[in-house]
Amino acid sequence: MATVNAEIVAIGSELLLGQIVDTNSAWMAQRLAEIGVNLFYKTIVGDNAGRMREIISRALERSDVVITSGGIGPTEDDLTREIVAEVTGRELVLDADLLQQIEERFRKRGFIMTKNNEKQAYIPSGAIPVENPNGTAPSFIVEDPRGVIIALPGVPFEMKWLFENRVIPYLRDKFDLREMIVSRVLKIAEIGESSVDDRIGHLIRTSVNPTVGVLAHPGQVDVRISVKTDSVETAQRLIAPLEEEVRQAFGPHLFAVDNETMEEVVGRLLNTKGVTIAVIEDLTGGMIAKRLQQAARESLAEAIIAHSEQPLRRVLRYSRQPERLEELLHDDAALTEELAFSIRAHSQAGLGLAVRAIPDPTRTTQNLSPGKTYMAVADDQGVHTREYNFAGRGTPDLTRITTYALNLVRRTLEGTL
Amino acid sequence: MATVNAEIVAIGSELLLGQIVDTNSAWMAQRLAEIGVNLFYKTIVGDNAGRMREIISRALERSDVVITSGGIGPTEDDLTREIVAEVTGRELVLDADLLQQIEERFRKRGFIMTKNNEKQAYIPSGAIPVENPNGTAPSFIVEDPRGVIIALPGVPFEMKWLFENRVIPYLRDKFDLREMIVSRVLKIAEIGESSVDDRIGHLIRTSVNPTVGVLAHPGQVDVRISVKTDSVETAQRLIAPLEEEVRQAFGPHLFAVDNETMEEVVGRLLNTKGVTIAVIEDLTGGMIAKRLQQAARESLAEAIIAHSEQPLRRVLRYSRQPERLEELLHDDAALTEELAFSIRAHSQAGLGLAVRAIPDPTRTTQNLSPGKTYMAVADDQGVHTREYNFAGRGTPDLTRITTYALNLVRRTLEGTL
């Protein structure tokens, strides 16, 4: 297998002015890593002929593959075609097929094609034309003796489609890339990064291929098992025993695999069991509702966001202990438990979830601010509660609270509490 | 005034692997533009000595100022100090003040300082040390005959503080930069980008200094008036007449200036007038509540997220027309109006906001999907309603609906409906 070194050149003055963050490059970087191509440099350059010429020439000298994005549109400041032709010592020539494709696209949409769109049908002589079914800017590949230049559009949606469907097959074929990186991501809730290290630190430190890595998010830790290999079957065979070990280490804390989110898992469980849920939240101000809504719209009977006593009193009319009402309003733990019971009855839902978070007003930090968070889930068996010693108004804390609450719902539904 | 050309070199393999998106560079780019420094290149390179050497040397040849970020931490793979020293032909020397500052930082936090942290007190001989009050990695500036290298940490919070408080004053002083870019952003709601162009297109096309530009977001268009000048007073004098013209063109559609958000404006109005608000929303699933909660926590009496009939029936017990209940449930426009009235009474709030969005199930697009959205605000005068012919489940549509709903609240409170 060949060793292939690539670099990315993102073109556009708007990227240099900071008006747009270059997310394309990070995406391409991941896909290149997955097919075993090394990425050593990413450069951003404005729509300036001299500087583009300098960067693309230099890139071609030091790398096997240069992937440009941007600068292939119809307007005056789109210079990529011209510069690539110049740098590789070629003329720009009209590609009749590309012209027809562009004309077709305009015709289909009922738009008039202006003269400057023709420009996009010109590519460096001898270049491989790459039709772009999602936009008017066709792409092209120049095989220069010094290396390959692949010119892609800057529009993320168009770039990604072409990268996935044209560039990766081209690179695999051209450089005989049989290597690939296959990953399995195992998602863990309610266990901090350091406890994850306690349980599987030996895997993180000793595993070579597959490697085991950890990435922490608020309320969630991702364990990634990655293997470099030449077939999906081998990858799966190598990942399986490590995955089993990680599953053993975390038991019911492991809530999802790969791209699945916590709310999707909860949504799936609610849906499978035909159970609805009603929510009452305060500091999270709709974050729990929003995530449930995205994943389980039909199962969300109702959500109430309430800080003040009046709506709480209304919900507590369904309490098991109406005589303790005034007392409850001054005991957050008991109140949360009773709210979970009451919101379930109030909304006639299968599950009731209540979350109350009370920040410490004297101290806040960006993450894990002191405070108290209470949460409770009521089902037909009773009420399950949790207490935490943090509650902050910042997004990390609110995300953590939301994830923990959804996790409590998940474990209630799974019967793994 | 000097012309100063800068470039940014972001260092870190995690950036090349696509695990982190380089948002630092976009932020720096904006700040450099504001002080009149040209940014021509941004390069990302991994933690590799050879490639870092190549990139930093090349940068120093072609630019007046090279700003690096990342690679100045305590670990083995942090190579920026070494490479900058090497490229500028200097030794690394211990800076006693920096060492003391690092030790102090560890002492204060009650942490043990390990040997590798000492490494961070070494800087190239003759470099200007720059203390980092927000982290353990001090920064430094090397004035080489070919140009200036400024080495910053990669942690965004630390980098931004140093950039603002150390780098910009240094650059202004060193290069006698008196030029600055001052901007005023005027935010417009409920008017599309093309209508904005209709009203102020002449300003966009003819203004030179100040320039007038437009940036569209879902439900909101920002008009930016930017002027390049040498004093804040001159800037304000030049911006004022254009700002006045834009204000005239948009009247009550202009809802905020510079960094203020729609929810902050609404929060401020609710707060000033001592008015509370209750919300009932459906498809937006908590987005309206979340934005109000962030900006006007004390003024949000209650929010209910409800799709199904049962919670609607409960709220509609406060309807003005209880006899029409069944009919209302089948007439979305009338239902929304009555829900606004009812939620206000139900929650005993000063304002009631109801939003119902019904997507067209047959067609969805990423933005502006077909469908119907109804919204209504009730106050002590009556109910104010709006209808729109879009409703999608995607974030752009939901953001647009949320912004329009908050805008209706704003105009109700301002009395500009």
Side-chain angles (χ1 to χ4, degrees):
Chain A
M1 271 181 265
T3 299
V4 183
N5 299 335
E7 72 180 277
I8 295 172
V9 178
I11 295 160
S13 296
E14 68 283 6
L15 295 165
L16 277 185
L17 289 170
Q19 291 165 350
I20 295 179
V21 173
D22 173 33
T23 51
N24 278 355
S25 298
W27 184 90
M28 284 194 238
Q30 280 183 341
R31 294 298 287 123
L32 288 172
E34 283 162 18
I35 61 166
V37 170
N38 299 315
L39 180 68
F40 284 153
Y41 307 95
K42 292 196 266 184
T43 309
I44 299 178
V45 63
D47 302 302
N48 171 285
R51 289 188 283 275
M52 284 172 65
R53 197 180 298 125
E54 183 211 335
I55 291 294
I56 294 173
S57 311
R58 186 86 192 85
L60 206 50
E61 279 159 31
R62 67 189 174 197
S63 301
D64 306 311
V65 178
V66 179
I67 302 169
T68 69
S69 71
I72 58 172
T75 59
E76 279 299 313
D77 62 353
D78 288 306
L79 301 171
T80 306
R81 286 157 218 295
E82 284 81 353
I83 303 299
V84 170
E86 205 185 307
V87 166
T88 56
R90 294 158 194 247
E91 297 290 312
L92 277 178
V93 293
L94 181 72
D95 185 295
D97 289 345
L98 289 181
L99 183 62
Q100 201 189 334
Q101 181 228 338
I102 298 171
E103 284 170 348
E104 189 63 26
R105 200 176 158 81
F106 275 90
R107 207 169 16 242
K108 264 194 196 151
R109 313 202 142 204
F111 294 144
I112 304 298
M113 181 169 150
T114 55
K115 195 70 188 164
N116 58 0
N117 284 104
E118 272 185 38
K119 176 179 153 178
Q120 300 182 108
Y122 283 81
I123 57 174
S125 62
I128 304 167
V130 180
E131 280 191 24
N132 176 359
N134 301 304
T136 61
S139 179
F140 59 88
I141 299 173
V142 177
E143 297 183 330
D144 188 76
R146 286 168 297 171
V148 171
I149 303 186
I150 302 173
L152 295 175
V155 180
F157 168 65
E158 299 177 25
M159 181 282 291
K160 286 180 187 172
W161 192 93
L162 288 168
F163 201 92
E164 207 61 70
N165 295 285
R166 298 288 177 264
V167 175
I168 287 185
Y170 169 82
L171 291 174
R172 278 199 195 282
D173 185 50
K174 171 83 181 171
F175 296 100
D176 191 25
L177 297 171
R178 274 161 296 158
E179 195 171 75
M180 60 182 80
I181 294 179
V182 178
S183 297
R184 170 70 39 90
V185 179
L186 303 166
K187 300 182 178 178
I188 318 288
E190 281 196 78
I191 296 201
E193 201 177 358
S194 55
S195 310
V196 169
D197 196 74
D198 265 1
R199 298 190 192 190
I200 58 159
H202 59 290
L203 297 180
I204 297 171
R205 279 180 288 278
T206 61
S207 304
V208 177
N209 192 33
T211 55
V212 179
V214 163
L215 189 60
H217 310 277
Q220 174 179 337
V221 173
D222 292 348
V223 176
R224 176 185 294 266
I225 307 169
S226 290
V227 65
K228 195 179 261 199
T229 176
D230 59 0
S231 84
V232 174
E233 294 69 35
T234 313
Q236 281 165 350
R237 188 170 46 73
L238 291 169
I239 286 173
L242 282 161
E243 175 171 348
E244 187 48 36
E245 207 171 332
V246 174
R247 286 185 179 273
Q248 289 291 336
F250 297 106
H253 293 290
L254 195 153
F255 67 89
V257 167
D258 294 337
N259 289 322
E260 202 174 29
T261 62
M262 177 66 88
E263 53 269 31
E264 285 167 357
V265 175
V266 171
R268 182 165 43 73
L269 286 165
L270 289 168
N271 197 33
T272 315
K273 295 180 182 274
V275 172
T276 59
I277 184 168
V279 179
I280 182 160
E281 52 180 313
D282 56 2
L283 193 72
T284 40
M287 278 175 77
I288 297 173
K290 185 78 181 75
R291 285 173 67 178
L292 276 173
Q293 152 116 347
Q294 281 169 341
R297 183 162 178 265
E298 299 306 321
S299 304
L300 179 63
E302 181 175 10
I304 297 177
I305 294 135
H307 297 276
S308 52
E309 277 188 18
Q310 199 223 339
L312 300 185
R313 284 177 189 274
R314 195 176 335 107
V315 172
L316 289 171
R317 285 204 292 256
Y318 296 84
S319 165
R320 294 166 294 187
Q321 308 162 296
E323 74 287 357
R324 284 187 62 216
L325 182 67
E326 299 307 319
E327 196 184 323
L328 281 176
L329 288 169
H330 296 94
D331 176 348
D332 286 301
L335 173 62
T336 308
E337 182 171 337
E338 208 47 37
L339 280 172
F341 181 90
S342 306
I343 188 81
R344 175 173 182 264
H346 170 272
S347 300
Q348 295 169 28
L351 290 181
L353 167 66
V355 179
R356 290 185 67 69
I358 302 111
D360 179 336
T362 63
R363 290 186 300 153
T364 59
T365 58
Q366 169 62 9
N367 196 355
L368 272 182
S369 287
K372 288 294 278 183
T373 297
Y374 306 90
M375 50 187 72
V377 173
D379 62 10
D380 53 11
Q381 310 289 309
V383 185
H384 315 280
T385 64
R386 289 282 189 276
E387 276 187 42
Y388 302 98
N389 290 316
F390 66 86
R393 297 178 197 283
T395 304
D397 273 12
L398 297 176
T399 304
R400 184 186 307 265
I401 293 167
T402 303
T403 297
Y404 281 16
L406 294 173
N407 194 48
L408 183 61
V409 174
R410 173 184 71 91
R411 295 186 63 179
T412 302
L413 286 164
E414 279 179 349
T416 58
L417 275 172
Chain B
M1 272 183 266
T3 300
V4 184
N5 298 335
E7 72 180 277
I8 295 171
V9 178
I11 296 159
S13 297
E14 67 282 10
L15 294 165
L16 276 185
L17 289 170
Q19 290 164 351
I20 295 180
V21 174
D22 173 31
T23 52
N24 279 355
S25 299
W27 185 89
M28 285 195 241
Q30 280 183 339
R31 293 297 288 123
L32 289 171
E34 282 162 16
I35 61 165
V37 170
N38 299 315
L39 181 68
F40 285 155
Y41 306 96
K42 292 196 265 183
T43 309
I44 299 177
V45 62
D47 302 303
N48 172 284
R51 289 187 285 274
M52 284 172 65
R53 197 179 298 125
E54 182 211 336
I55 289 294
I56 294 174
S57 312
R58 187 83 192 89
L60 206 49
E61 280 160 30
R62 66 189 174 197
S63 300
D64 306 311
V65 178
V66 180
I67 302 169
T68 70
S69 72
I72 59 172
T75 58
E76 279 299 314
D77 61 356
D78 288 307
L79 300 171
T80 305
R81 288 159 216 295
E82 284 80 353
I83 302 301
V84 170
E86 205 185 308
V87 166
T88 57
R90 293 158 195 248
E91 297 291 309
L92 276 179
V93 293
L94 181 71
D95 185 295
D97 290 345
L98 289 181
L99 182 61
Q100 202 187 334
Q101 181 231 335
I102 297 171
E103 284 170 349
E104 188 65 24
R105 200 178 158 82
F106 275 92
R107 207 164 23 236
K108 265 194 198 152
R109 315 203 138 201
F111 292 146
I112 304 297
M113 179 169 150
T114 54
K115 195 69 188 164
N116 58 0
N117 284 105
E118 272 184 36
K119 174 178 153 180
Q120 301 183 106
Y122 283 82
I123 58 175
S125 64
I128 304 166
V130 181
E131 281 192 22
N132 176 359
N134 301 306
T136 61
S139 179
F140 59 88
I141 299 173
V142 178
E143 296 183 331
D144 189 74
R146 287 168 295 171
V148 171
I149 303 187
I150 302 173
L152 295 176
V155 180
F157 168 64
E158 300 176 25
M159 180 282 291
K160 286 180 189 174
W161 191 94
L162 288 168
F163 201 92
E164 207 61 71
N165 295 284
R166 298 288 178 264
V167 175
I168 287 185
Y170 169 82
L171 290 174
R172 278 198 194 283
D173 186 51
K174 172 82 181 170
F175 295 101
D176 190 25
L177 297 170
R178 276 162 295 156
E179 196 171 74
M180 60 182 79
I181 294 179
V182 178
S183 296
R184 170 69 40 88
V185 179
L186 302 166
K187 300 181 177 177
I188 319 286
E190 280 196 77
I191 297 203
E193 203 177 358
S194 56
S195 310
V196 169
D197 196 72
D198 265 0
R199 297 190 193 190
I200 58 158
H202 58 291
L203 297 180
I204 297 171
R205 281 180 287 278
T206 61
S207 304
V208 177
N209 192 35
T211 56
V212 179
V214 163
L215 189 61
H217 310 277
Q220 173 181 337
V221 173
D222 293 348
V223 177
R224 176 185 294 265
I225 307 170
S226 290
V227 64
K228 195 180 262 199
T229 176
D230 59 0
S231 85
V232 173
E233 293 70 36
T234 312
Q236 280 164 350
R237 188 169 46 73
L238 291 168
I239 286 172
L242 283 161
E243 175 170 349
E244 188 48 36
E245 206 171 331
V246 174
R247 283 186 182 274
Q248 289 291 337
F250 296 107
H253 292 291
L254 196 154
F255 68 88
V257 166
D258 294 337
N259 289 322
E260 202 174 28
T261 62
M262 177 66 89
E263 54 268 32
E264 285 165 358
V265 175
V266 171
R268 182 164 45 71
L269 286 166
L270 289 168
N271 198 33
T272 313
K273 295 182 182 273
V275 172
T276 58
I277 185 168
V279 178
I280 182 159
E281 52 181 313
D282 57 1
L283 193 72
T284 40
M287 277 175 78
I288 296 173
K290 186 77 181 70
R291 285 174 67 179
L292 276 173
Q293 151 115 346
Q294 281 169 340
R297 182 160 179 268
E298 301 305 322
S299 305
L300 180 63
E302 182 176 8
I304 297 177
I305 294 135
H307 297 276
S308 52
E309 277 188 18
Q310 198 224 341
L312 299 184
R313 284 178 188 274
R314 196 176 333 107
V315 171
L316 288 171
R317 284 204 293 255
Y318 295 84
S319 166
R320 294 166 294 187
Q321 309 161 295
E323 74 288 356
R324 286 186 60 215
L325 183 67
E326 299 308 318
E327 195 184 322
L328 281 175
L329 289 168
H330 296 93
D331 175 347
D332 287 300
L335 173 62
T336 308
E337 183 171 338
E338 208 47 36
L339 280 172
F341 181 89
S342 306
I343 188 79
R344 176 173 181 264
H346 170 273
S347 300
Q348 295 168 28
L351 291 182
L353 168 66
V355 178
R356 290 186 67 71
I358 302 109
D360 178 338
T362 62
R363 290 187 301 154
T364 58
T365 58
Q366 168 64 8
N367 196 355
L368 273 183
S369 287
K372 288 295 279 182
T373 297
Y374 305 90
M375 49 186 74
V377 172
D379 61 11
D380 52 11
Q381 310 289 311
V383 186
H384 315 279
T385 63
R386 289 281 189 277
E387 276 188 41
Y388 301 97
N389 290 319
F390 66 87
R393 295 176 198 284
T395 304
D397 274 10
L398 296 176
T399 303
R400 184 186 304 264
I401 293 168
T402 303
T403 297
Y404 281 16
L406 293 173
N407 193 47
L408 183 60
V409 174
R410 173 184 70 91
R411 295 186 64 177
T412 303
L413 286 164
E414 280 179 349
T416 57
L417 274 172

